[in-house]
Structure formats: structure tokens, C-alpha cells
Amino acid sequence: MRMQSNEPRRGIHMLLLATFLAGVAGCTPATVRGPAPAAGPIEAAAEPNWQGGGMVAAANPLAAEAGAEILRAGGSAVDAAVAVQAVLGLVEPQSSGIGGGAFLVHYSAATGDVITYDGREVAPRGATAEMFLDADGKPLRFFDAVRSGRSVGVPGAVAMLELAHREHGRLPWRQLWRSGITLAENGFAVSPRLNELITAVVSRGTLPADSAAYLTLDGKTPRPVGSVLRNPDYAATLRRIAVQGARALSEGPIAQQIVDAVRADPLPGTLTLEDLRDYRPNRLEPVCSQYRVYLVCGMRPPSSGGVAVLAALGILSHVDMAARGPQTVAGWHHLIEAQRLAYADRDTYVADDRYEAVPIAGLLDADYLASRAALVSPDRAMQRVEPGRPPGAAVRGRDSSGGTTGTSHFVVVDGRGNVVSMTTTVESLFGSQRMAGGFFLNNQLTDFSFTPFDDKGQPIANAVAPGKKPRSSMSPTIIFRDGRFELAVGSPGGHAIIAYVTKSIVGMLDWGLSPQAAVDLPNVIARGLVVAEPVRMDPAMIESLRAMGHQFRGGRSGGEVSGIHAVRRLSDGRLEGAADSRREGKVIAVPYDPAR
Ligand code: GLY
């Protein structure tokens, strides 16, 4: 592996050093050895003379515009991310917000550093391994758990953005909240998707009174498309955050509102003011592996996303995917099999690594992935896919918890070439459906396994514990070629995020598709039975895959709810973005301006 020698690149340097030291000391390294690269440097390099302009790709036009406005004012990618999140929490409250959590991958063009920020929710001190079991020791029904107070983790998104802004912000923190405040005060038009998802949540008949008053006209009629929705409480909360920072949510009146909402019936949670006060976001090294000529960097635990996407790519690196395009049965067959293997390991071994020894290096070890790739037949589906035993792994039970679709992903590239790839979530639609301060509280703790042991009595790595973070699938990713920024991508979608992101990377890097064409490819999720997006996947392709032995889940279930947003740098230096047409997103380019 050849390294570039000219720039500091602290994040990745530390990561390589940690790998080396860990190898010497025989302990679990912080990162991984991927399949041997074909060529090229394995580090992200500095690029101080960036002239590619900026770009925002986000799930809602108002949020994308808020980010673009910050870029036009000379803001950094992190500055814009704060503005995007402030508006997403208002216009797309079903997906993310200041009552939820997030992961952010950051590339600094000035130094070449790649670093990640962890704003994942934590379980309160009062959480127990049995809190999602009923009086008979059976798991609660999923939606009963979702709308319970027990599902709410300590929110982390704002604290994480505050930390990232402290390190990479250019504009004053206060300025970044203005678009959100103005929109919340003046109102915004309810979009078709927001109306559709209000309709979905109202049809369950479970909304607390304040949420129903906000989302409906009369407690049951969803706010119609195009009607103007104002949220003065949210505006007031953002004003406080603009002045006080994340502290506005962890102490004082809004913190008390959060605690009161969590401790309300049904099934109150245990969250306290101390839990809110003690929350700290983390700055973590990324996990990075080589995929062909690319360096792919993502989130380490508590997300399983980075490890699982890298594992799937590591398995695919044993196949010439470029020769098996999206029109070929072989291309989809290999994509499915790589996913099945990666999901089996991820379900078994990945959890919050402050509580569980997660064998990250073993899961991404080149020899181990070669042994997993060798299980794939070129012309038959594997009968059963079991987790492997990667180097360093303890015996663990398999966790089938999934996660749902209340998540959003966006990408920002700023005028200096810095990149943010951020996935942000309240977990289910409108999170726990509980509100405080004009925003929805997450139900992230239902991402834990509801049971502490599997049916063979093996302990489950992703069991609930106080202070622990539930395993995520969120996969914000940044990819480099020859040390230079190449691509940033991610998606919402619960456990399917891993499939959506892997597909998009293969679509662009192996199949040579534009970002939009790669995002538009059918979604095929292979965790257990295969789900193929019914409206996009050619039935003849599905029949051919069935003939190879692949078993599909029938009907229209799943696959169509991705929200992939990507920005790629073209060979001539220009940026090209994609917004998933399955949602309402938008890409906005901000031309290069030497004065900024
Ligand atoms: N709640 C979605 C995820 O963290 O994967």
C-alpha cells in the first residue's frame, strides 16, 4: 500500500497507527485491513485549492435551500448541516429532528482528515434489559413499544452538531438557525409526503393530544397538502438553541418538557433531567477499507452501517462487478449474496462497542472476507446464511431487530471542498409520537433487541443496558480516489440502509452509472428473505433470480422507502448530486466563488 507523504491527515493517520499498534499488541484494533488495493494511496489527502464549488443534497427543498443559503454566505459544510437539520426537523418531522440522534462523517479539505461524530441517543440510567418485555416475559408489540416512553433515548443530534461546529464551523452558531426559525414562525406548505405520513400515523389511532393537534385539523383529519403549518413552539426552541447551544435541551424548561413527555402514559419511561444533562457526543475515528481503487470511510459502532457496507463491498471485491452490470442476473445475484453474508455477521456481532467487544478488524479482515466470498456460488443461491466466526469474535446470538423508516440523509460539500455526509433520525415515523418544545421525541431505543438472549440462550450483543446506545444501521459514507474526495452517500431505511448504500456505491463505482441512475436502481434488500422493489425491478429479473434459488418476500413490502442522497465529484472536478425520487429531495449547486 502506497501512502501519500505530504499532508498531516490526522484522522486517518491515527487510525492506521492504531491498526499497527493493535496488531503488534494483539488486541482489537480501531480499524481494519481491507482487500489489497489495486493501486493508489490509501489515505484521504488535503486539497486546499478546491475550486469545485459547493452542493447540498437533502430530502426536502426547503432544507436544501437553507443549507445552500449558508454556503452562499461563506459557511462551511458543517455550518450548512446545522441549518439543514434545523429545517428538516420542521418540514420532515416524521424522519429526523432535534429530538433525535445522528451520525456525521466529515472530510476536511484543508488537512485531509476524515473524522466522524456520534450523536446517537443513549438509554437512560433507568433502562433495563427487560424493559421491552411484557409481564409474561414476551416482547412487547413493536408499535406499543414505539409509542411508549421507554423507547425514548437521550437526544444527541444538536449536541453532536455543536461539537462539529466548534471544530469546523465558520459562521456564528446563531446564524445557522435563522431559516428554521423563520419557517417555523411564518409557516410552510405541507408536502405530499408529510401529508401521506400524517395519514399513516393517524390511521394507527395512537397520537397523543398535542401531536394530534399539531398534525391534524381536528384530531383526526390530516393537515392537507399545501396547507400552511406554523410551529411557534419550535421557533421558540430554536431561538433558545441559537443562544444557549445544546444546553437549551438538556437543562431548563425544554428539558423538563422532555422529561414530562417521556414519563407520561402509556408505559412511561425513566428518563431524568440528569440523563439529559450528562449526554456527551463523541468524536470517533472512521472505519475505512479499500474497495478496488477507492478508500471507503463510514461510521464505526454504535452504528453497524460502516462495518456492514465495508463487509459487503469486501465480499464483492472478489467478483468483477463491472463485468456484471445492472442488466445481468449475475450482478444482482452477487449483490444479494454479499448482503446476506454481511447482514448475518452484522446482526450477530455489532453493537455499542463501549459495552461489547465488537470484532471490527476481524469482520473486515481480508482473509476472513475472502472465506465469506468463497461461500458464494456463481450460479446458485446459498441455502442458508449463517454468521461466520471472524477473528476475535465471541459467541453471540443473532439479533433480528430492524428499525423503521423515520430517518433522513443529506450531503453537503462547501466552497472549500469540505464534505459532510450525515444521517439523522427519530427512528419511526414521528419517532415516539411524543412532543416537547414543538418537536418530536425519538423512539431510538426500539433499535435495541427486545430480548437479551436468543432462542438458543446466547447473549445478544445489542441488548438494552443503561447508558448504552442502540445499534444503528445508518451508513453515512465518504469515498476517496487517489486521496481525493470522490463520493458522499447515505440513506434512511432502518436495516435496509446498508442495502441501499451498498447498491448506490456499486451502481456508481462498478457499473459506471451517474449518481441519479445509481440511486434510481431498484432497491434489493437481502436480510433473510429477499425484498425487491416491486415497481422498479423487472419481473423477468426476479424470475431469473428465483430460478437460482433466491427466495423473495412477496407483495409490495419494503424496498421503496429509501431516501438516498449523494454527491459525486466528476473527473473534470465538477460536482454531480442525486436526490432519491422516492422522496421529495433536491440538489442545489452553489458555484465556486473565489471571494468566499
Ligand atoms: N433508527 C435507524 C437506525 O439507526 O438505523
Side-chain angles (χ1 to χ4, degrees):
M1 291 191 283
R2 183 160 58 86
M3 292 197 203
Q4 293 204 328
S5 57
N6 50 342
E7 301 294 342
R9 291 168 239 116
R10 192 173 62 247
I12 300 269
H13 264 144
M14 288 173 61
L15 175 144
L16 292 168
L17 180 64
T19 307
F20 173 73
L21 291 175
V24 170
C27 58
T28 306
T31 187
V32 298
R33 178 166 57 98
I42 61 155
E43 293 192 318
E47 200 168 349
N49 300 317
W50 174 265
Q51 296 190 0
M55 188 165 278
V56 183
N60 178 283
L62 295 168
E65 179 51 35
E69 189 181 310
I70 293 294
L71 295 186
R72 288 185 208 109
S76 69
V78 166
D79 292 335
V82 176
V84 170
Q85 179 66 82
V87 175
L88 282 178
L90 177 71
V91 300
E92 205 199 24
Q94 68 272 17
S95 296
S96 79
I98 60 176
F103 294 116
L104 187 159
V105 185
H106 185 266
Y107 162 68
S108 164
T111 64
D113 286 354
V114 182
I115 197 74
T116 75
Y117 294 92
D118 162 17
R120 186 69 164 168
E121 299 89 335
V122 299
R125 285 184 182 78
T128 67
E130 294 80 28
M131 72 181 189
F132 291 127
L133 301 178
D134 66 17
D136 298 326
K138 301 237 165 34
L140 294 176
R141 288 190 314 163
F142 184 70
F143 284 108
D144 290 344
V146 165
R147 60 182 185 242
S148 78
R150 298 178 193 175
S151 72
V152 183
V154 183
V158 176
M160 181 202 80
L161 286 168
E162 187 176 57
L163 174 61
H165 178 261
R166 207 177 298 136
E167 298 186 351
H168 300 288
R170 276 176 65 91
L171 298 181
W173 173 256
R174 271 173 174 241
Q175 183 176 339
L176 312 177
W177 300 88
R178 280 186 197 150
S179 292
I181 293 167
T182 305
L183 278 168
E185 280 173 347
N186 296 346
F188 66 96
V190 169
S191 72
R193 184 169 170 80
L194 177 53
N195 166 267
E196 182 191 326
L197 296 174
I198 295 174
T199 305
V201 80
V202 166
S203 72
R204 289 185 194 141
T206 61
L207 283 175
D210 54 351
S211 306
Y214 180 54
L215 296 176
T216 68
L217 297 175
D218 53 8
K220 54 184 187 311
T221 311
R223 301 248 176 214
V225 175
S227 61
V228 174
L229 187 52
R230 293 185 181 80
N231 191 338
D233 291 347
Y234 186 67
T237 296
L238 295 195
R239 282 190 193 285
R240 279 182 180 269
I241 294 172
V243 174
Q244 297 177 7
R247 207 159 48 82
L249 300 182
S250 61
E251 52 189 65
I254 300 172
Q256 189 61 54
Q257 286 179 48
I258 294 173
V259 169
D260 292 345
V262 172
R263 288 176 162 257
D265 285 331
L267 294 175
T270 60
L271 190 82
T272 62
L273 287 172
E274 290 69 37
D275 290 317
L276 294 174
R277 189 197 58 209
D278 292 349
Y279 183 87
R280 297 287 178 276
N282 292 317
R283 186 178 192 277
L284 301 174
E285 297 297 331
V287 283
C288 300
S289 271
Q290 197 79 15
Y291 180 58
R292 308 195 199 282
V293 296
Y294 304 97
L295 179 71
V296 183
C297 292
M299 278 312 303
R300 57 182 299 120
S303 186
S304 62
V307 173
V309 168
L310 292 178
L313 293 175
I315 292 165
L316 287 173
S317 70
H318 294 270
V319 183
D320 183 355
M321 287 296 280
R324 298 166 171 82
Q327 324 74 8
T328 68
V329 181
W332 289 105
H333 165 68
H334 282 284
L335 201 49
I336 289 169
E337 299 294 62
Q339 277 187 41
R340 293 173 74 199
L341 290 160
Y343 271 120
D345 279 356
R346 165 267 187 206
D347 289 351
T348 308
Y349 298 115
V350 185
D352 183 345
D353 62 349
R354 297 169 308 137
Y355 285 68
E356 277 287 325
V358 179
I360 300 175
L363 286 163
L364 297 176
D365 177 81
D367 295 336
Y368 175 68
L369 289 177
S371 73
R372 297 291 274 167
L375 299 173
V376 178
S377 150
D379 45 24
R380 290 296 304 161
M382 291 176 285
Q383 285 304 298
R384 254 183 92 74
V385 175
E386 299 290 349
R389 279 299 292 278
V395 177
R396 285 290 176 264
R398 194 161 169 181
D399 170 23
S400 58
S401 62
T404 54
T405 57
T407 301
S408 202
H409 180 83
F410 61 88
V411 174
V412 185
V413 180
D414 71 24
R416 282 161 221 87
N418 304 305
V419 183
V420 163
S421 185
M422 175 165 155
T423 313
T424 174
T425 181
V426 289
E427 205 332 78
S428 289
L429 294 181
F430 305 98
S432 63
Q433 306 170 8
R434 293 169 186 238
M435 290 187 88
F439 58 91
F440 286 90
L441 295 172
N442 70 84
N443 66 298
Q444 214 63 241
L445 304 189
T446 59
D447 270 359
F448 280 120
S449 169
F450 280 24
T451 56
F453 299 96
D454 72 0
D455 48 16
K456 298 189 197 100
Q458 300 291 358
I460 290 179
N462 185 36
V464 189
K468 191 173 175 183
K469 301 186 180 199
R471 180 190 63 206
S472 174
S473 303
M474 295 196 288
S475 311
T477 305
I478 303 183
I479 299 177
F480 303 87
R481 179 177 185 156
D482 298 331
R484 289 154 44 113
F485 165 65
E486 172 81 21
L487 169 65
V489 63
S491 179
H495 68 254
I497 291 172
I498 291 159
Y500 300 151
V501 171
T502 305
K503 171 206 79 171
S504 305
I505 292 172
V506 168
M508 283 180 256
L509 303 188
D510 287 330
W511 292 344
L513 298 174
S514 70
Q516 195 62 55
V519 168
D520 288 346
L521 283 170
N523 285 323
V524 176
I525 306 144
R527 183 185 181 212
L529 296 183
V530 182
V531 175
E533 192 178 12
V535 291
R536 294 182 193 236
M537 192 73 167
D538 181 354
M541 177 66 75
I542 295 180
E543 278 320 303
S544 302
L545 289 163
R546 268 192 221 283
M548 294 177 83
H550 290 291
Q551 295 180 46
F552 285 78
R553 195 188 301 161
R556 283 190 49 85
S557 56
E560 66 276 16
V561 291
S562 61
I564 308 160
H565 293 95
V567 174
R568 187 171 189 188
R569 180 206 215 155
L570 305 179
S571 52
D572 64 5
R574 283 177 305 126
L575 297 176
E576 184 171 325
D580 199 326
S581 54
R582 301 164 185 89
R583 298 207 179 196
E584 298 174 329
K586 186 168 181 185
V587 178
I588 302 178
V590 177
Y592 174 66
D593 177 353
R596 279 199 296 265

